Amino acid sequence: MNPTDEQSAAADAFHAGNHLALQAGAGTGKTTTLALLARGTPRRGRYLAYNRAIAQDATARFPSSVQCKTAHALAYAAVGHRYTRRLNAPRRPAWQTGQALGITKAVRVGDREVTQRALSNATLRTVARFCHTADEAVTRHHVPYLRGLEDADLHAQLAAHIVPFARKAWADLQHPDDGAVRFDHDHYLKIWSLTQPRIDADFLLLDEAQDTNPVVEQIFLAQREHAQLVMVGDSAQAIYHWRGAKDIMTGFDGTQLALSQSFRFGPDLAAEANRWLHLADAPIRLTGTPAVPTELGLVTHPDAVLCRTNVGAMAQVMTLMAAGQQVALTGGGDSLHALALAARDLKEGRRTRHPELMLFPCWGDLQDYAANDPAGRDLQPLVNLVDAHGTDAILTAVAQLVPESQAQVTISTVHKAKGREWQRVLIANDFARQKDNSANEQKGTATPPDPIDDAEARLAYVAVTRTRQRLDLGGLSWIHDHPHGTMPQQQTPLACRQA
């Protein structure tokens, strides 16, 4: 393949020895470009992949002078192998682990009782959140916010109970042979990062840099003195902030370049993508490939339906199964199964262990919270779905899911669809905006729509760029009526600038 001008510019900057941040829009051939850089030098490199599957695919595409690994694989080779015995230990319930750490009774925070099980679960989640950061010690800001305890003062009270146990859990994890806390892969990655490791390579290539955990960022940037750093990603696809990921591209001290020619779709789809890139204030705009005539319009038989939430995915699964279709769910049905079981527990008067719902003593309490507390509005679709169909019907539907290879249609959340593509895509209706004009009905005036925030625009951008052949905007069609939704004029891609 003849490189584009943008790919050639990236190669020139790389061979000049510059540290480089490469903004690569959807379908612009970022891995192909990185392989082009690596093949043009005799130096030894490391490619840090987002997951194992990407690392394996890259190994076949990069020259032998470049080792393709995940950060976890590097950490395992350095320190993780010492913990093999603990990694293979049997699973145990969080409450048993909490009991071993000394969590033996419930506490009251505000008007809610936090059970021993909920405290144990929150303690282990605190350690997990700490492991994703560049911090050296567990502190109160690692403690997760729990449903019903979102107030800052209430969270501070909860953290005062949790932090001592979380620190005890982290100390337990330092022992290679045995301990109370189940050891997992993020634990040895964090342990390795605290040793301030030096990666032996002449250059490092970091993929998916827009969704980098701070712990990986710290390891990567610490190699700057002895290795050339190249990061590639798409800031507009930074959709994992909610779990601690960070876009480290825009503030990177190095040459900023872009790949804006998409080989996945045509000009019409590129224009739709640019609408959302404009709304997200992204640093690039895309150009489609005329030989790929992607269309926008009604899709009656989609290959994939993309949803905003797990609950939206659950609703799509049930609707399509009721229509007699064979349905697959990207990533499997475990998360939906867990939500349905949690709902069943609450409806039957039992507390649930589900981390999102564990503070609610019964279903009625959750219904009230979802309907009346602003912090619980995102749970209203779950309540509506369970009240309409019942938990048994949901569990039955999840059990009838088939592998993607056997499915007529695949359902996916947008988060799980990132990096994927299909021929015909429909955007699900859980992206639709609810209209609430009740406050102004008596005055006879319309409520102006809420502004589109960056996170909403980035998620929509990822959703609309998963297709090759035809896209049905479906639940995102409201953008045509939004005052900020006017299609922007084509803009010049990110200018090359030397830091």
Side-chain angles (χ1 to χ4, degrees):
M1 185 189 77
N2 293 324
T4 66
D5 290 343
E6 291 174 328
Q7 290 171 327
S8 295
D12 291 343
F14 175 73
H15 296 311
N18 299 341
H19 298 299
L20 177 62
L22 189 58
Q23 289 280 355
T28 57
K30 62 175 182 174
T31 306
T32 300
T33 303
L34 291 181
L36 173 70
L37 306 188
R39 282 195 297 269
T41 179
R43 297 180 296 155
R44 296 175 303 109
R46 292 287 185 99
Y47 169 81
L48 298 183
Y50 191 68
N51 58 43
R52 184 186 300 177
I54 293 174
Q56 290 172 342
D57 176 70
T59 297
R61 303 174 68 175
F62 280 83
S64 59
S65 57
V66 177
Q67 289 189 350
C68 303
K69 302 283 186 181
T70 63
H72 284 87
L74 295 180
Y76 183 83
V79 301
H81 64 277
R82 303 173 194 163
Y83 296 84
T84 302
R85 181 175 174 182
R86 292 192 67 171
L87 279 168
N88 295 328
R91 293 184 179 275
R92 63 190 307 187
W95 70 266
Q96 287 186 2
T97 301
Q99 198 169 56
L101 293 171
I103 304 174
T104 57
K105 60 182 181 180
V107 298
R108 181 158 289 277
V109 179
D111 62 355
R112 293 197 180 274
E113 179 188 61
V114 185
T115 66
Q116 185 264 349
R117 292 174 184 265
L119 288 170
S120 301
N121 189 295
T123 296
L124 297 182
R125 289 172 65 196
T126 298
V127 174
R129 286 161 62 96
F130 163 66
C131 288
H132 293 158
T133 71
D135 302 331
E136 295 185 358
V138 177
T139 63
R140 57 186 283 182
H141 77 267
H142 300 123
V143 177
Y145 281 81
L146 302 185
R147 293 282 189 179
L149 298 179
E150 292 90 347
D151 178 80
D153 289 339
L154 295 177
H155 181 261
Q157 293 177 43
L158 176 68
H161 291 289
I162 295 293
V163 168
F165 293 115
R167 290 175 176 169
K168 189 174 180 180
W170 181 243
D172 174 274
L173 289 165
Q174 307 310 302
H175 303 293
D177 296 324
D178 198 14
V181 183
R182 189 172 192 273
F183 198 92
D184 71 26
H185 299 281
D186 283 344
H187 296 147
Y188 66 70
L189 176 63
K190 181 63 176 178
I191 291 170
W192 182 54
S193 75
L194 292 173
T195 68
Q196 300 180 335
R198 184 184 191 277
I199 300 175
D200 185 22
D202 299 317
F203 63 89
L204 294 179
L205 309 173
L206 177 65
D207 197 7
E208 297 287 346
Q210 82 282 347
D211 281 322
T212 302
N213 282 335
V215 65
V216 176
E217 174 195 12
Q218 179 189 49
I219 294 167
F220 178 76
L221 296 180
Q223 315 306 312
R224 189 183 185 99
E225 293 302 316
H226 73 273
Q228 182 184 7
L229 303 184
V230 178
M231 58 177 64
V232 63
D234 184 353
S235 292
Q237 293 192 51
I239 59 174
Y240 285 104
H241 290 173
W242 54 276
R243 70 179 191 191
K246 178 182 177 184
D247 175 18
I248 69 172
M249 298 191 66
T250 52
F252 180 63
D253 181 14
T255 301
Q256 302 272 343
L257 297 176
L259 300 177
S260 63
Q261 173 70 53
S262 180
F263 304 101
R264 179 180 299 160
F265 42 74
D268 289 348
L269 198 285
E272 183 61 37
N274 287 337
R275 184 205 304 273
W276 298 101
L277 288 169
H278 169 74
L279 291 168
D281 196 24
I284 61 173
R285 301 294 181 268
L286 296 180
T287 301
T289 299
V292 184
T294 315
E295 300 174 338
L296 281 79
L298 183 67
V299 174
T300 55
H301 299 289
D303 299 306
V305 179
L306 302 187
C307 307
R308 187 186 187 106
T309 64
N310 281 322
V311 175
M314 186 185 294
Q316 287 292 327
V317 166
M318 297 190 68
T319 297
L320 291 168
M321 281 186 176
Q325 296 203 51
Q326 294 279 86
V327 181
L329 184 69
T330 300
D334 289 350
S335 59
L336 302 189
H337 187 263
L339 269 174
L341 288 179
R344 187 172 69 181
D345 284 342
L346 292 176
K347 286 182 72 68
E348 294 178 355
R350 298 188 300 270
R351 283 187 178 269
T352 175
R353 300 177 190 176
H354 196 287
E356 281 290 290
L357 308 178
M358 61 188 178
L359 291 190
F360 300 101
C362 63
W363 184 249
D365 198 35
L366 176 59
Q367 288 174 312
D368 179 69
Y369 175 78
N372 300 311
D373 193 317
R377 286 179 180 171
D378 63 315
L379 290 175
Q380 190 63 56
L382 172 65
V383 171
N384 293 341
L385 189 69
V386 171
D387 286 344
H389 298 281
T391 56
D392 288 344
I394 295 171
L395 290 167
T396 298
V398 172
Q400 292 174 350
L401 291 167
V402 300
E404 287 192 47
S405 60
Q406 301 173 18
Q408 295 170 283
V409 59
T410 296
I411 310 299
S412 179
T413 63
V414 174
H415 288 90
K416 291 179 182 175
K418 198 154 79 78
R420 300 285 303 276
E421 60 183 59
W422 293 271
Q423 293 293 97
R424 299 177 301 277
V425 173
L426 167 66
I427 307 298
N429 55 15
D430 66 339
F431 274 91
R433 286 184 159 206
Q434 293 183 349
K435 295 180 180 180
D436 183 8
N437 296 325
S438 57
N440 292 321
E441 278 180 353
Q442 294 180 348
K443 300 178 182 179
T445 59
T447 303
D450 292 335
I452 302 166
D453 63 30
D454 288 355
E456 184 178 19
R458 289 195 301 269
L459 196 66
Y461 163 68
V462 175
V464 302
T465 55
R466 298 307 96 197
T467 188
R468 294 185 62 88
Q469 187 179 100
R470 191 173 178 89
L471 172 70
D472 188 335
L473 275 175
L476 285 172
S477 296
W478 55 263
I479 191 62
H480 296 298
D481 300 320
H482 196 282
H484 297 158
T486 303
M487 189 78 75
Q489 292 184 346
Q490 186 74 16
Q491 299 184 21
T492 303
L494 175 72
C496 304
R497 58 182 183 272
Q498 183 74 33

